[in-house]
Amino acid sequence: MYTFAGVPASKGIVIGPVEQIDHGTTGLHRIVCDPFRERALYDVAVVLAKDELRRLSQRAKGPDADILLFQIALLEDESFTNEIGDYIAAGAGGAAAVERAEQIFAGRLSNVDDEYIRERSVDVCDVCRRVVDILDGRPRRRLHLKRPSILVADRFFPSDLFSLDRRMILGLASNQDSTVSHAAIMARSMGIPAVVQLGDGVAALAAGHRAILDASDNGTATLVIEPDGAHVAQADCKIAQSRLHGRTPDPVAALPCLTKDGTAFRLLAATNASSDPEEPLPQGAAGIGLLRTESIILDDIPEDAQFERLQEKLQCSDGAMIAVRTCDTNADDDSPWTAEMRKRLQGHRLFWPQIKALLRAAPYGDLRVLFPMIAGVEDWDTCLQEVDTCREELRREGHEITPPPFGCIVDMPSAALLAGELIEHGAQMLAIDIEDLTRYTLALVQDSDAAVSRVDNPAVQRLVKEVVQQAKAHGVEVYLCGITIESISRIPVYLHLGVRTFSVEPAALLPLKKLLMEETLEQSETDSGSEA
């Protein structure tokens, strides 16, 4: 048994077999040709490398895609190309020239004071290694995990992890990486344990053995290779007390959603369309009450790709509700991309791919579609006309469509006051965006921070009460969304006004549940009855 101490990069504890990512040794058996041929071979290698990176980027998301785009940009950088070209012209081989450029450009980043920028030097090493592998004729086969394993490496390159089935990764252990390396960031986003800075030679020593990766403590983390029975038993106890991927379960998550006097309520999660379709629901969530889709428009995702994402998310939801908020032309959020959003959303035609994808995906799960920024009945009717147009297009393409329930995001005071009319015109559910409704009601459109602290304003409460009463009178589902961790202390008042379902950002879900479980509604129900 060998125990090595490192730095925890992502909390958790796992036991499993160890697989090593070995970057090997370059430079063996090279034959240097004349400079013209070496330059031609280098140019071809760059084309192949960029093609590989583009294929990887099509499957990557968020920061992962940004890293791959950075690598492509580096290969197109004039100073980088000139550095290599000059060295080849001086008589060096193409592979050696790339390795020299790697040392120069990665060295510049490594000397920067900012630790995060220093860690980006690994991206330079990663893309240069890819080009060198092509020039050396080395196979670029990635590791195929046949069983869930702990991955070890001297240092992880971004491309090491992109092509792996992330469900097969139990944890990451690195000799050199830091807590702000790509591997550490990815581990935290995946919710798997990771330990870094184990020291030279540890990865090679652990390869092929069984190990315990323990990053459950804040200060230290260990990799125990070939642990004895006592260590395994101790690790099993820790794992038994924690959830999958090392998350400690909150006992409140398993309790029923009931107030002190037994009134039931329901909690839904809020998320973004760019999130991993296979990511499980947060603890205690009964479904997704708000799936935002701005990224669909910003990234110009075509209809078929949208459909595939939605289909996968619905199939992974095990029947749980998913309410999708369509993107709106008014781009009501004060985000940096608002101007870009408005530019791209000129005319309803740009919405059709999204609506058609939603219509096609509906049979695969409990899908609901929510239209935001509805000022009144005319806006609502226009949305339904767009749906009819898309449905007719799909029918001509040979698709038989059964539309999902359509609902309205109540984010404007006029929509709250006209809730009854919207329902009579076909709105099958109402989702009250409490933050946006507060912003528009109290003239705080440009100050979302102030809005969060006033979501329980009496004027907002009156609007919410009107929506709840109209929904109840028409037998339509209504719930509160737009709830953040900063606003949860002000949300219980809406439980007393008749709201029974709340859509919350994941970090706020259990804290809100604890607050609502402490409420007693007998008095508020009596007051409501006397008012009626």
Side-chain angles (χ1 to χ4, degrees):
M1 182 179 77
Y2 301 92
T3 301
F4 296 91
V7 176
S10 180
K11 293 184 68 174
I13 178 171
V14 289
I15 305 175
V18 177
E19 293 283 353
Q20 182 184 15
I21 294 179
D22 185 4
H23 299 135
T25 303
T26 61
L28 300 178
H29 311 299
R30 286 177 181 165
I31 298 175
V32 179
C33 304
D34 66 84
F36 294 103
R37 181 169 172 77
E38 288 292 334
R39 179 56 191 255
L41 290 172
Y42 166 74
D43 290 339
V44 171
V46 167
V47 171
L48 292 174
K50 287 164 62 176
D51 184 58
E52 291 176 358
L53 291 167
R54 289 193 180 97
R55 287 200 300 270
L56 283 173
S57 68
Q58 290 172 358
R59 301 195 301 269
K61 299 173 184 177
D64 293 352
D66 293 340
I67 287 171
L68 294 168
L69 293 175
F70 166 79
Q71 293 188 7
I72 292 172
L74 179 64
L75 293 178
E76 296 173 344
D77 182 78
E78 185 176 358
S79 60
F80 180 79
T81 303
N82 289 342
E83 187 72 42
I84 293 170
D86 291 345
Y87 201 52
I88 291 175
V98 175
E99 289 170 344
R100 179 175 177 272
E102 173 189 340
Q103 293 175 356
I104 294 171
F105 282 78
R108 291 173 184 170
L109 292 177
S110 299
N111 292 324
V112 175
D113 290 336
D114 186 281
E115 184 181 12
Y116 180 83
I117 298 299
R118 287 202 304 272
E119 282 298 327
R120 302 290 68 80
S121 64
V122 75
D123 299 324
V124 177
C125 298
D126 192 13
V127 70
C128 289
R129 183 200 60 163
R130 183 180 296 275
V131 176
V132 168
D133 284 350
I134 295 172
L135 289 168
D136 283 346
R138 298 179 73 233
R140 293 178 302 290
R141 292 189 299 269
R142 293 293 169 248
L143 180 66
H144 293 285
L145 297 176
K146 297 179 180 179
R147 55 184 178 174
S149 304
I150 298 170
L151 294 185
V152 297
D154 184 59
R155 193 178 190 188
F156 286 104
F157 288 166
S159 60
D160 292 333
L161 304 174
F162 288 146
S163 58
L164 291 174
D165 183 347
R166 298 185 184 183
R167 293 169 297 183
M168 301 292 279
I169 304 175
L170 293 177
L172 301 177
S174 166
N175 295 353
Q176 297 184 28
D177 283 306
S178 79
T179 55
V180 295
S181 66
H182 179 77
I185 294 169
M186 181 178 286
R188 289 192 289 271
S189 70
M190 294 163 63
I192 65 172
V195 55
V196 296
Q197 298 179 21
L198 287 165
D200 292 341
V202 175
L205 182 63
H209 295 282
R210 188 169 179 80
I212 299 172
L213 192 163
D214 188 354
S216 56
D217 296 326
N218 289 325
T220 61
T222 58
L223 184 70
V224 182
I225 303 169
E226 291 297 340
D228 58 25
H231 280 80
V232 171
Q234 185 180 28
D236 282 338
C237 287
K238 285 187 177 182
I239 293 171
Q241 295 171 6
S242 65
R243 253 185 116 195
L244 182 64
H245 299 330
R247 291 184 298 172
T248 303
D250 191 316
V252 173
L255 297 176
C257 292
L258 296 172
T259 62
K260 273 190 173 180
D261 55 344
T263 301
F265 59 90
R266 187 166 64 134
L267 296 174
L268 305 170
T271 186
N272 196 286
S274 61
S275 62
D276 186 349
E278 297 182 1
E279 182 180 349
L281 287 172
Q283 299 179 61
I288 296 175
L290 194 69
L291 182 70
R292 297 178 66 98
T293 59
E294 286 88 348
S295 59
I296 296 295
I297 300 297
L298 287 172
D299 296 337
D300 290 326
I301 307 297
E303 177 191 330
D304 286 343
Q306 291 188 49
F307 163 69
E308 290 171 2
R309 283 190 186 182
L310 287 164
Q311 180 189 37
E312 186 177 4
K313 199 160 191 72
L314 287 164
Q315 289 175 331
C316 292
S317 69
D318 294 326
M321 160 189 163
I322 296 180
V324 177
R325 178 194 192 271
T326 62
C327 196
D328 59 85
T329 52
N330 292 309
D332 60 308
D333 291 317
D334 300 318
S335 305
W337 41 259
T338 297
E340 175 70 9
M341 179 76 76
R342 287 175 175 160
K343 180 180 177 181
R344 295 192 184 197
L345 294 173
Q346 297 297 320
H348 292 292
R349 181 79 194 185
L350 286 177
F351 282 111
W352 288 7
Q354 183 182 42
I355 295 173
K356 290 170 68 177
L358 288 164
L359 291 171
R360 290 169 58 189
Y364 294 93
D366 186 5
L367 177 68
R368 323 285 179 90
V369 180
L370 300 170
F371 293 111
M373 299 301 291
I374 300 296
V377 170
E378 184 178 352
D379 288 346
W380 174 259
D381 289 344
T382 298
C383 288
L384 292 189
Q385 289 168 11
E386 294 297 317
V387 172
D388 289 340
T389 300
C390 292
R391 188 178 178 186
E392 180 60 26
E393 272 202 8
L394 289 172
R395 188 190 65 79
R396 289 197 298 268
E397 294 170 7
H399 299 282
E400 290 297 327
I401 299 300
T402 301
F406 289 96
C408 174
I409 297 277
V410 179
D411 46 15
M412 303 177 71
S414 57
L417 295 172
L418 297 172
E421 287 89 335
L422 290 170
I423 294 171
E424 290 168 0
H425 277 247
Q428 295 166 277
M429 64 187 303
L430 300 174
I432 306 169
D433 190 322
I434 192 64
E435 181 185 333
D436 280 355
L437 184 60
T438 302
R439 293 169 66 195
Y440 286 106
T441 301
L442 304 181
L444 297 171
V445 177
Q446 304 299 324
D447 193 349
S448 57
D449 290 339
V452 166
S453 66
R454 299 178 68 182
V455 295
D456 57 349
N457 179 273
V460 180
Q461 288 188 46
R462 186 170 297 185
L463 289 171
V464 171
K465 186 175 182 180
E466 176 68 22
V467 176
V468 171
Q469 290 176 342
Q470 290 296 323
K472 184 177 180 180
H474 290 83
V476 165
E477 179 182 0
V478 62
Y479 64 91
L480 220 62
C481 63
I483 302 171
T484 62
I485 190 71
E486 294 85 1
S487 64
I488 59 170
S489 63
R490 303 174 185 275
I491 298 302
V493 65
Y494 293 108
L495 188 71
H496 292 267
L497 291 179
V499 178
R500 295 292 179 265
T501 303
F502 304 84
S503 178
V504 193
E505 69 174 4
L509 198 144
L510 290 182
L512 178 61
K513 181 176 181 177
K514 294 173 184 178
L515 286 177
L516 297 181
M517 289 176 68
E518 292 298 314
E519 295 296 312
T520 301
L521 299 184
E522 290 177 346
Q523 185 60 45
S524 60
E525 296 286 354
T526 303
D527 294 342
S528 177
S530 62
E531 287 180 12

